[in-house]
Amino acid sequence: MKTSIDNLDKTYKLCISTGNIKEKFADIELIKALKIVAEKGLEFINNKSKDIPKESIDWTFVFRDYYESLRGLIEAYLLFDGIEADNHQCKNAYLCFKYAELELDWEFLETIRLKRNAINYRGQLLKYDDWKLLKLNFELHINVLRKEIEKRLIK
């Protein structure tokens, strides 16, 4: 079942108007902690994934760990603006709407959010080929956010 991706501008405006995006204290120590957790999670799953056979459904959990690490980096980045959101879609919308210059892919972020929901709430499982299609985009998004967080922490 192919789910359609919501429009970024509409989603952002809806998140703002419904109060799903809120102000929060910009806590530098929390930003650093979230970045460390994301990086340690990636290091852990990358070491573990070397032993996973291609036909295994354990790629589901590689995907989920990458998703959680990316989500943690997004959360950390939003904290620089003193922003938090009630759900992943609003966090993604804020990030893509406010920071278009980062060239993060709204459709990719929505696709993985929906895939993660299918795993967590409908029991969908992934194989290696599913993971392989997403891995490069995950790495691109993670690397952009890592670099931007590091730059902003130096300031």
Side-chain angles (χ1 to χ4, degrees):
M1 171 172 109
K2 179 95 172 142
T3 311
S4 67
I5 303 296
D6 296 334
N7 174 276
L8 172 59
D9 292 349
K10 265 196 230 172
T11 302
Y12 175 76
K13 288 173 184 152
L14 181 64
C15 289
I16 292 291
S17 69
T18 56
N20 280 316
I21 293 176
K22 316 173 183 31
E23 289 185 21
K24 178 181 177 147
F25 175 68
D27 182 342
I28 296 300
E29 292 309 310
L30 179 55
I31 292 169
K32 289 176 184 175
L34 289 171
K35 181 178 175 290
I36 289 168
V37 168
E39 290 173 341
K40 289 291 181 191
L42 289 168
E43 188 182 311
F44 177 81
I45 199 59
N46 281 326
N47 287 333
K48 284 284 181 206
S49 66
K50 292 173 185 152
D51 300 328
I52 302 174
K54 286 190 175 171
E55 58 282 349
S56 173
I57 56 170
D58 288 349
W59 294 101
T60 305
F61 308 104
V62 174
F63 167 88
R64 222 166 51 178
D65 285 356
Y66 261 77
Y67 181 89
E68 285 305 313
S69 291
L70 177 57
R71 190 188 60 74
L73 292 171
I74 291 169
E75 203 161 302
Y77 197 75
L78 297 187
L79 282 173
F80 283 113
D81 289 0
I83 292 294
E84 70 176 352
D86 289 340
N87 60 57
H88 299 187
Q89 185 178 40
C90 289
K91 288 175 190 182
N92 295 343
Y94 181 91
L95 182 66
C96 290
F97 189 86
K98 289 288 189 176
Y99 293 99
E101 71 276 8
L102 296 180
E103 297 180 356
L104 297 172
D105 184 348
W106 165 251
E107 287 200 11
F108 171 73
L109 293 174
E110 278 296 276
T111 298
I112 63 171
R113 181 185 66 81
L114 294 167
K115 193 167 284 301
R116 177 252 184 202
N117 288 350
I119 291 166
N120 284 359
Y121 306 122
R122 293 193 298 285
Q124 185 182 77
L125 296 169
L126 303 180
K127 296 261 174 130
Y128 176 74
D129 288 341
D130 302 315
W131 166 241
K132 194 171 69 172
L133 292 173
L134 300 166
K135 185 177 193 248
L136 181 60
N137 253 331
F138 262 113
E139 289 175 349
L140 289 170
H141 285 73
I142 285 166
N143 289 334
V144 165
L145 285 167
R146 260 188 184 151
K147 283 181 195 150
E148 291 300 315
I149 291 168
E150 285 166 14
K151 269 194 234 170
R152 290 182 79 172
L153 283 172
I154 291 168
K155 285 183 182 175

